[in-house]
Amino acid sequence: MTTATLESTVLDAVEHRLFIGGEWVDAEGGRTLAVEDPATGRTIKEIADASPADGIRALDAAAAAQDEWAATAPRARGELLRRAFDLLQERKEEFALLMTLEMGKPLAEARGEVAYGGEFLRWFSEEAVRITGRYGLNPEGTGRMIVSQRPVGPSFFITPWNFPLAMATRKIAPALAAGCTVVIKPPALTPLTTIAFVQLLEEAGLPKGVVNVIPTSTSSKVSGPIIEDPRLRKLSFTGSTEVGRALMKQAATGILRTSMELGGNAPFVVFGDADLDKAVEGALVAKFRNIGQACTAANRFIVHESVAEEFANRVAERVKAMKVGRGTEEGVNIGPLIDDKAVESTDALVQDAVSRGASVLTGGTRIVDGDGTFYAPTVLAGVAAGSRLLAEEIFGPVLGITTFADEDEAVRLANDTEYGLISYVFTQDLARGHRMIERLATGMMGLNTGLVSNAAAPFGGVKQSGIGREGGLEGIHEYLDTKYTLIPVD
């Protein structure tokens, strides 16, 4: 089978309609939206474009299915997720190719996302049967207390374009395990992987109405009525802090339970005693994974002045060797950015840093040879205080280095941001590593590693990087309400 034939086969297998109440249906008025390959700029599929009325129909279906799904045995809920996990493993190559086609990431990284996204299905298939409570005599001896957990209820998910499978499974899996029904609005830029995953859930035995999917080009118009509806009890969003703040204001009207995984501005701190081999490898992963388009991407490289030049040169040498191209091509390390707006934003940050004195060690320009939205992987040294690169989330393949003299300065620079999602620290001093765990104001930290995400760990941030946690033991509790009952002692 030729590459073109394989791509067509994978794309043709993806439904083009909305999924509401267990049925694949056209959008109101037959509206459609085009999905493009960012590496070529060409449309790869036309799919249904949900209207506000379609969104309410999806919530109708989720609300109607809620009581029955909540009453379904935890083991049955878990086994559905396990069947979905097994099916995903059988089709991992198809899902990886689909993600590369609609999002642009190299195929090897897409395979990694399939593995990572699948783990949420496996993890929460096991957590479904571990929802527990408490029973015991109260301190006064006048009654017995029962503390139980019950599903929050119908949940609405708004997912981002950069990890189209993992962001869907990370939200859907704990919701289903807890007994909640779902309406999910995948991103207009990369909706195909989520649709394909819902098709897989349907094959695994998903009951009608338990998961509903409504891709749309008019996100706020479709989301607003759903969030305002009193039947909705949970909102989970992954995306920018600006949008998250607006959604929280909307959610306040109905006092919704919310989970917000928002922007990041991750510091990557390299101390003078760091193992530079590990630090360089960690930098390449933390910065250039997913073409730098990740909320966990290292944003500010804060390197001790004694090793800054060597670190910069070694990183630049590796980055110069990176192959840029369509993610389906052999050996490609850097695919396209998601669209022209992303390229323009990335270049503006680079030019601002250069205008303030930063040196370009490699890259620093848009790649205009051919189609697609490509930006050269870039390393900047001597990024000055006040540069936008240090204050704004980059979301592109740009690594900017600034220096520090001592530990207190490193902590001050690392914490000098409104965000607090993740930090990375490289040091061989165990005591210093423990101090950094305590001193850095982030919800997650990688100590001598550039990759921390794991389905068994709680993912989330502090400050303006969000509230709530996804994954880990904590993840399922985002979809459970606690109920206390007192039984008097006669």
Side-chain angles (χ1 to χ4, degrees):
M1 185 181 294
T2 67
T3 300
T5 301
L6 179 58
E7 291 179 9
S8 294
T9 300
V10 167
L11 290 168
D12 289 345
V14 181
E15 256 291 351
H16 67 279
R17 295 171 291 179
L18 314 177
F19 190 62
I20 299 176
E23 304 292 336
W24 294 98
V25 297
D26 291 326
E28 181 185 50
R31 302 189 335 162
T32 63
L33 65 87
V35 182
E36 295 181 355
D37 177 352
T40 64
R42 292 193 292 269
T43 295
I44 54 177
K45 197 173 183 76
E46 296 266 355
I47 64 167
D49 184 359
S51 71
D54 293 321
I56 292 299
R57 285 198 295 138
L59 181 58
D60 290 342
Q66 176 58 50
D67 287 347
E68 185 174 353
W69 182 243
T72 299
R75 179 69 72 191
R77 300 198 300 256
E79 286 176 350
L80 168 67
L81 293 173
R82 180 62 197 218
R83 287 193 298 272
F85 170 80
D86 291 337
L87 286 171
L88 184 61
Q89 306 318 301
E90 294 172 11
R91 297 171 197 170
K92 57 187 177 183
E93 288 300 316
E94 291 93 332
F95 270 87
L97 178 56
L98 181 59
M99 270 191 285
T100 294
L101 292 175
E102 68 171 342
M103 186 266 159
K105 69 183 69 185
L107 196 53
E109 289 194 20
R111 292 187 181 107
E113 183 177 342
V114 174
Y116 174 53
E119 284 304 310
F120 289 103
L121 301 173
R122 177 154 62 174
W123 174 262
F124 286 109
S125 74
E126 297 162 346
E127 289 299 291
V129 298
R130 292 178 173 80
I131 299 170
T132 60
R134 289 187 287 126
Y135 173 84
L137 192 66
N138 66 12
E140 297 79 13
T142 59
R144 290 182 172 84
M145 302 181 297
I146 299 175
V147 179
S148 57
Q149 306 287 331
R150 53 187 295 124
V152 169
S155 303
F156 182 43
F157 300 151
I158 304 174
T159 55
W161 51 262
N162 54 342
F163 290 94
L165 178 65
M167 297 302 96
T169 59
R170 196 163 78 182
K171 295 180 189 300
I172 291 174
L176 297 192
C180 298
T181 58
V182 168
V183 176
I184 183 167
K185 189 202 73 61
L189 291 169
T190 61
L192 303 182
T193 303
T194 301
I195 294 171
F197 174 61
V198 173
Q199 288 178 259
L200 184 147
L201 283 175
E202 183 183 24
E203 186 176 341
L206 182 74
K208 292 182 182 297
V210 172
V211 175
N212 306 271
V213 60
I214 49 167
T216 181
S217 62
T218 55
S219 180
S220 60
K221 290 181 179 178
V222 171
S223 299
I226 296 174
I227 296 170
E228 293 169 2
D229 194 298
R231 295 173 297 174
L232 187 72
R233 298 315 312 144
K234 168 77 182 185
L235 171 63
S236 179
F237 169 73
T238 298
S240 72
T241 296
E242 180 182 8
V243 174
R245 190 180 295 117
L247 289 171
M248 289 179 71
K249 289 179 180 178
Q250 289 180 272
T253 301
I255 318 296
L256 297 182
R257 286 279 294 275
T258 59
S259 297
M260 295 281 156
E261 196 267 281
L262 307 177
N265 189 7
F268 188 102
V269 183
V270 181
F271 285 95
D273 68 341
D275 181 327
L276 283 190
D277 288 335
K278 288 183 179 180
V280 169
E281 292 300 328
L284 296 175
V285 172
K287 175 72 264 183
F288 296 102
R289 172 174 172 254
N290 213 49
I291 323 163
Q293 299 175 122
C295 56
T296 55
N299 220 51
R300 298 166 295 140
F301 286 77
I302 303 166
V303 185
H304 192 268
E305 56 193 15
S306 66
V307 295
E309 183 176 359
E310 182 181 357
F311 175 82
N313 290 336
R314 289 174 65 172
V315 167
E317 182 180 1
R318 294 286 298 277
V319 173
K320 286 177 184 177
M322 288 181 172
K323 182 179 178 180
V324 179
R326 192 171 188 240
T328 54
E329 297 171 9
E330 187 71 27
V332 164
N333 308 108
I334 300 292
L337 295 183
I338 192 64
D339 56 18
D340 280 314
K341 182 180 178 182
V343 173
E344 292 166 5
S345 174
T346 299
D347 191 56
L349 293 176
V350 170
Q351 300 312 317
D352 173 76
V354 171
S355 73
R356 297 172 187 269
S359 302
V360 180
L361 303 187
T362 187
T365 59
R366 176 174 185 161
I367 298 175
V368 295
D369 182 19
D371 298 320
T373 47
F374 294 92
Y375 197 86
T378 298
V379 178
L380 304 175
V383 177
S387 298
R388 290 176 56 197
L389 201 68
L390 299 178
E392 301 176 26
E393 191 170 23
I394 300 171
F395 246 62
V398 177
L399 189 159
I401 300 170
T402 189
T403 61
F404 70 92
D406 58 38
E407 183 177 311
D408 286 342
E409 184 181 13
V411 171
R412 178 181 63 78
L413 292 172
N415 286 339
D416 186 21
T417 174
E418 63 188 2
Y419 300 104
L421 184 61
I422 188 169
S423 54
Y424 303 91
V425 174
F426 282 76
T427 178
Q428 296 187 81
D429 184 330
L430 182 60
R432 174 183 283 142
H434 279 282
R435 289 197 299 273
M436 292 302 101
I437 293 172
E438 297 297 326
R439 299 185 72 186
L440 296 189
T442 57
M444 300 177 288
M445 182 173 136
L447 183 57
N448 294 318
T449 181
L451 181 63
V452 305
S453 298
N454 190 287
F459 187 105
V462 299
K463 299 195 287 187
Q464 295 199 35
S465 285
I467 55 174
R469 292 296 182 268
E470 294 184 312
L473 300 174
E474 297 81 359
I476 200 167
H477 291 285
E478 298 288 337
Y479 299 93
L480 294 168
D481 282 330
T482 299
K483 186 170 187 176
Y484 155 62
T485 303
L486 180 68
I487 305 174
V489 174
D490 294 332

